[in-house]
Amino acid sequence: MYSGGLALLATGLRATRPVATVVAVVVVAMIGLGLLALDADLGDVIRDVATTLAVPIAAWAGIFAVEMMIRLRRFHAPSLLARGGVYPAVRWVNLVGLVVISLIGFGLTSAELPGLGWQGYLFPLLGVPGTAPLAGADPGVLVALALGALLPVVAGIPAIRRQEAAGREAIAAGTGT
């Protein structure tokens, strides 16, 4: 719970560590009570929650890993620590891509929990019955990873090269940011 409190502080919550830890305890207790209220099989809960979390994490991991592999130069460290440096506050292509890829991935996963029954909406469009082994295999996680890895290759290389050039210019100018 202590780590959960630190994670809440990292999101920008203005509180002391003990208060953030109490907030984390309350959030986890509420989630636990909600899962108890579902009266679902524990195996279904674990599988469905893990799959639901895995889709956006896989998309993010693909985007992040390939962006790191594309880079030819180190990051401009001062720009990572301050706004207005070499890097934009938000890479909109990556953010929108993460959302779209996650939606595609959710469409290719299945879930038994009542709140997650909306997943798998792409299977009927592809002619795959919901009871098919393919639907139960949750290919959406791998699809999200693959599409996430493809996004920086297709849409990120020019922006990354501009960032690297701006970083070189900032270092040459001695401005630091």
Side-chain angles (χ1 to χ4, degrees), residues 107-173:
L108 297 172
T109 58
S110 60
E112 300 296 323
L113 291 179
L116 300 175
W118 54 271
Q119 293 181 15
Y121 51 85
L122 292 178
F123 287 131
L125 296 173
L126 299 172
V128 177
T131 57
L134 178 62
D138 294 328
V141 178
L142 292 176
V143 169
L145 179 64
L147 291 175
L150 188 61
L151 179 68
V153 172
V154 172
I157 292 175
I160 291 169
R161 296 298 176 251
R162 283 191 301 272
Q163 288 174 352
E164 290 173 337
R168 283 192 304 271
E169 291 170 9
I171 290 171

Side-chain angles (χ1 to χ4, degrees), residues 13-119:
L13 178 71
R14 302 245 187 240
T16 62
R17 272 193 206 170
V19 171
T21 303
V22 169
V23 170
V25 167
V26 170
V27 168
V28 168
M30 299 287 281
I31 291 171
L33 289 173
L35 290 174
L36 280 175
L38 287 176
D39 194 30
D41 179 36
L42 183 61
D44 287 342
V45 170
I46 291 171
R47 183 183 86 72
D48 291 352
V49 170
T51 302
T52 301
L53 293 174
V55 169
I57 291 171
W60 173 82
I63 293 168
F64 182 79
V66 172
E67 264 214 23
M68 294 301 104
M69 288 187 268
I70 289 172
R71 292 186 182 277
L72 301 175
R73 305 208 178 271
R74 291 180 156 188
F75 280 105
H76 183 245
S79 291
L80 292 174
L81 301 173
R83 286 185 177 262
V86 173
Y87 309 108
V90 176
R91 290 275 315 267
W92 289 105
V93 170
N94 288 353
L95 183 60
V96 171
L98 175 67
V99 171
V100 170
I101 292 167
S102 295
L103 290 173
I104 292 168
F106 288 138
L108 297 172
T109 58
S110 60
E112 300 296 323
L113 291 179
L116 300 175
W118 54 271
Q119 293 181 15

